[in-house]
Amino acid sequence: MLGLDLPRLNRSIVQTPLYRICGRLKSVTGLMTCNIPAAVGDHCTIVPKEGKPVLAEVIGFENDLAYLVPFDHAEHLQPGMPVIRNGRGMVVPTGPNLLGRVVDGLGRPLDDRGPLIDCPLRPVHRPAPPALERQRIREPFVTNIRAIDAVLTCGRGQRVGIFAGSGVGKSTLLGEIAKGAQADVNVIALIGERGREVGPFLEDCLGPEGMARSVVVVATCEQTPLMRVRASQAAIAIADYFREQGADVLFMIDSLTRLAMAQRELGLMLGEPPSSRGYTPSVFQLLANTVERLGNAAVGSITALMTVLVEGGDLDEPISDAVRSLVDGHIVLDRKIAERGFYPAIDISRSVSRVAHEVIDREHALAARKLRAILATYHEVQDLIRIGAYVRGSSPQVDKALELMPRVEQFLRQDIGERSTFAQTREALLAIAAQWPY
C-alpha cells in the first residue's frame, strides 16, 4: 500500500471536522470576544487581513460571546475579523524522540534541529493520579549534592520547593542536579525567564550531558500569560507520558512564582476578585493542580524541584506560603550565605525534607540531627564570636561546635561540577557526627 500508515491515516480522517464553525471578532479589551459557539479550552484561529493567523484559546463565555486569549501577542486586529473554531483541547507532542529538544508552550520546536518526528500527541489537561493508587515514597532520590543528600534527603517521587531571591543560585543548583541526579528523564520548564538566560542555562548549567536526557519547555517573560501557563501544563503532560512508561522522571520548573503571576493576569481579565497581594483564587487552585499532578503513580515516578522567588526574603508571602503547604519539603537558599561565596547557599536550619525519615536508616537520621545541632549551636553565639565577646571554655558544647564548624562548612560546600555519591556523602556525614557527643 505504498508504505501508508493506515491506522494513523484513519485517526486523522476521524478527527478532521466535516465543517468549520466560524464567528466574528467583536471586541478586544484585554480579553477578545467573539460570537462563536465554543467550549472552554477550545482553540480558535483569528484570521486578520494582513499578517499571520492568531491562535487563541477560549477561557470563558457569557451568553453567546466567547472570551478568547491569544497565545502570541496580536496586533492590527479589527472588529468583524473571522474566527475559526479548531475544536478539541490543547495537545502536546511526547515520546522518546522529544529528548534533547527545546520546545515552546504549544510543543513547537525552538531549537535548530528541525521538526519533531514521530512524537505522539497527548492531551494537556489530565487528572492527577488517584490518591490510593500512588506508590509510597520508599527510595532515596540521589542528587549528588552533599548538603541535600545528607541532611535534606529527598525521596523518589517527592515534590520539593526551592525558595530564594533572585541571583542566589537557583538555576545553577537546578542545572547541577539535572546533570548528576539518578533519573531516567529530565523535563524542565522555564516559565517567565529572561530570554538572555535561556541559552546560558542550556549550555552552562545543563550542558550536553544533562541535555541529552532532557526535554526543555520555554516560555519567556515577554510572552502572553496564557502561553506561560500552558507551557507549565505542557511540561507536566510530557513528564506524565514518561512516568506512564515506568520511567523515573526528574521534573523542574523555574519558577512557580512567575506561573502564579501569569495566572493572576488571566484571572483579573476574567473578572475574578483579587485577594492577598492581588492574587486571584484561581492562582492557588492552579498551584494545587500543578503540584498534585506530580509525584508517584501506580507505575513510574516524577520527582519535582520547583523554584519560588521570595520577595525580600519573606517566606510568608502568599505564593511562598501556599507552595510550602503543598510540597513535601522545602530548600531555602540564603543571600547572606551566597554573598560569602558559599555554594550551594542552602540555609539548613530553615530547610526540611518531610520524607527523609522514610528513605534513610536510623544511623543516617541521627547523624543528620547532630549536624543540625552543630549548626544551631554555632549560630546561637555567632554574633558574640564576631565581636570577641565569647571566651573559650565558657561552654564545652559551644567550644566543640567552634572546633567542628570548619569541617562542617567544608562538607556542605561543593564546587560546581563536583559530584559526591550517596555512599561517600553518608560516610563523611557519619564521620562528622561521631565527633559530636551531645
Side-chain angles (χ1 to χ4, degrees), residues 36-182:
I36 187 171
V40 173
D42 280 353
H43 284 189
C44 298
T45 301
I46 304 168
V47 185
K49 293 180 181 179
E50 298 179 359
K52 296 180 180 179
V54 177
L55 183 64
E57 183 176 309
V58 178
I59 65 169
F61 60 85
E62 183 177 2
N63 298 324
D64 295 330
L65 291 179
Y67 296 143
L68 307 177
V69 174
F71 282 97
D72 298 307
H73 292 290
E75 298 178 353
H76 309 299
L77 297 180
Q78 298 176 358
M81 284 183 173
V83 179
I84 301 171
R85 178 190 169 200
N86 302 335
R88 74 176 182 179
M90 181 175 168
V91 293
V92 290
T94 57
N97 287 343
L98 208 56
L99 293 175
R101 302 302 302 266
V102 182
V103 299
D104 69 3
L106 294 172
R108 301 175 297 194
L110 295 176
D111 50 25
D112 57 357
R113 297 178 54 188
L116 302 175
I117 299 174
D118 196 20
C119 294
L121 298 178
R122 182 182 187 86
V124 165
H125 301 289
R126 294 170 60 86
L132 297 182
E133 293 183 10
R134 291 179 180 266
Q135 300 179 62
R136 292 191 62 175
I137 298 174
R138 296 296 193 190
E139 300 178 15
F141 178 80
V142 181
T143 64
N144 286 321
I145 303 295
R146 282 192 296 269
I148 297 176
D149 291 343
V151 192
L152 308 169
T153 315
C154 299
R156 196 172 297 281
Q158 184 176 357
R159 290 83 52 94
V160 181
I162 299 178
F163 296 76
S166 57
V168 185
K170 298 185 306 299
S171 297
T172 303
L173 181 60
L174 289 182
E176 287 299 296
I177 294 175
K179 286 187 286 188
Q182 296 176 359

Side-chain angles (χ1 to χ4, degrees), residues 234-367:
I236 293 173
I238 293 169
D240 187 45
Y241 165 85
F242 288 107
R243 176 175 61 185
E244 284 190 0
Q245 309 307 308
D248 292 319
V249 182
L250 172 58
F251 178 83
M252 298 179 170
I253 181 169
D254 187 10
S255 68
L256 283 181
T257 306
R258 294 191 177 112
L259 171 62
M261 290 177 176
Q263 182 61 36
R264 176 173 61 182
E265 292 183 52
L266 293 178
L268 293 174
M269 285 182 190
L270 275 174
E272 289 185 52
S275 55
S276 181
R277 297 203 187 179
Y279 288 104
T280 57
S282 63
V283 170
F284 302 101
Q285 185 60 55
L286 175 65
L287 291 175
N289 292 344
T290 298
V291 174
E292 279 303 297
R293 288 278 304 276
L294 308 169
N296 286 339
V299 295
S301 68
I302 299 177
T303 306
L305 298 176
M306 300 166 283
T307 67
V308 179
L309 282 167
V310 180
E311 299 178 6
D314 182 11
L315 287 175
D316 295 322
E317 58 91 21
I319 299 305
S320 298
D321 193 50
V323 172
R324 203 164 56 248
S325 70
L326 293 168
V327 295
D328 308 315
H330 55 273
I331 297 171
V332 178
L333 304 185
D334 188 88
R335 188 176 301 279
K336 291 182 179 179
I337 297 176
E339 287 171 350
R340 291 167 47 204
F342 200 103
Y343 174 83
I346 298 175
D347 188 338
I348 300 293
S349 62
R350 293 197 293 168
S351 305
V352 66
S353 171
R354 296 179 183 171
V355 304
H357 64 283
E358 300 272 358
V359 297
I360 59 176
D361 56 48
R362 188 173 180 276
E363 188 180 20
H364 187 152
L366 179 60

Side-chain angles (χ1 to χ4, degrees), residues 361 363-368 425-435:
D361 56 48
E363 188 180 20
H364 187 152
L366 179 60
T425 296
R426 186 179 184 278
E427 182 182 356
L429 173 65
L430 294 178
I432 294 174
Q435 303 298 313

